[in-house]
Amino acid sequence: MLRKSNVEQTVVETLCQYNPMLIIEGAAQIVKKEIAVVCKRGSGCPLQKKGYEDVFNFSWTKLHDYLQENCPAFLSVITATVCDVSPPVLSKSYQHILLTAAVGLHGRSQEMSLVQYLVGFMLKHGGCTERVTIIF
């Protein structure tokens, strides 16, 4: 017998077992809606801000807090991709999660490019002098 409080969990567990693609498609729709809002111009996402203060005051923690507040499903999916449990702040896994999010969001909107700008800045001013060409 099911209690009202665990009916939803039971339905989800049953769907996960017998039709996981239905759950994945539902999760994808949720993530798409979250990301559409975050990628809009003027959304306040730290990845859109490329002013002097924004560049030099960037932190992974600020980006994580923004993503946790504005697109928790997206962040949850990426976290599940990188590791089994929520990693400690500033651990290697934590940085991989946020870098993956930054790359994915930039793929959706070229305005979400602060991390790519920072990487280019570090390479240029950090002594990288050789040009690398990638052929696909």
Side-chain angles (χ1 to χ4, degrees), residues 116-131:
Q116 287 77 6
Y117 179 80
L118 289 170
V119 169
F121 181 81
M122 288 186 296
L123 289 172
K124 173 127 176 97
H125 297 287
C128 183
T129 58
E130 189 175 319
R131 185 180 181 132

Side-chain angles (χ1 to χ4, degrees), residues 35-103:
I35 298 308
V37 172
V38 167
C39 288
K40 281 187 179 178
R41 184 174 289 156
S43 70
C45 183
L47 298 174
Q48 292 177 343
K49 300 176 180 180
K50 292 178 248 4
Y52 179 85
E53 290 292 321
D54 302 311
V55 169
F56 289 100
N57 291 318
F58 174 80
S59 77
W60 291 117
T61 305
K62 287 179 188 175
L63 177 58
H64 181 269
D65 292 346
Y66 177 85
L67 295 175
Q68 185 64 49
E69 183 177 326
N70 293 283
C71 48
F74 173 65
L75 188 60
S76 180
V77 168
I78 292 174
T79 300
T81 302
V82 174
C83 56
D84 292 334
V85 295
S86 290
V89 174
L90 300 182
S91 66
K92 182 179 176 183
S93 295
Y94 180 83
Q95 292 174 356
H96 279 272
I97 290 164
L98 295 172
L99 183 58
T100 301
V103 170

Side-chain angles (χ1 to χ4, degrees), residues 20-32:
M21 284 308 294
L22 190 60
I23 295 292
I24 292 168
E25 289 166 4
Q29 290 301 316
I30 293 168
V31 169
K32 286 177 189 178

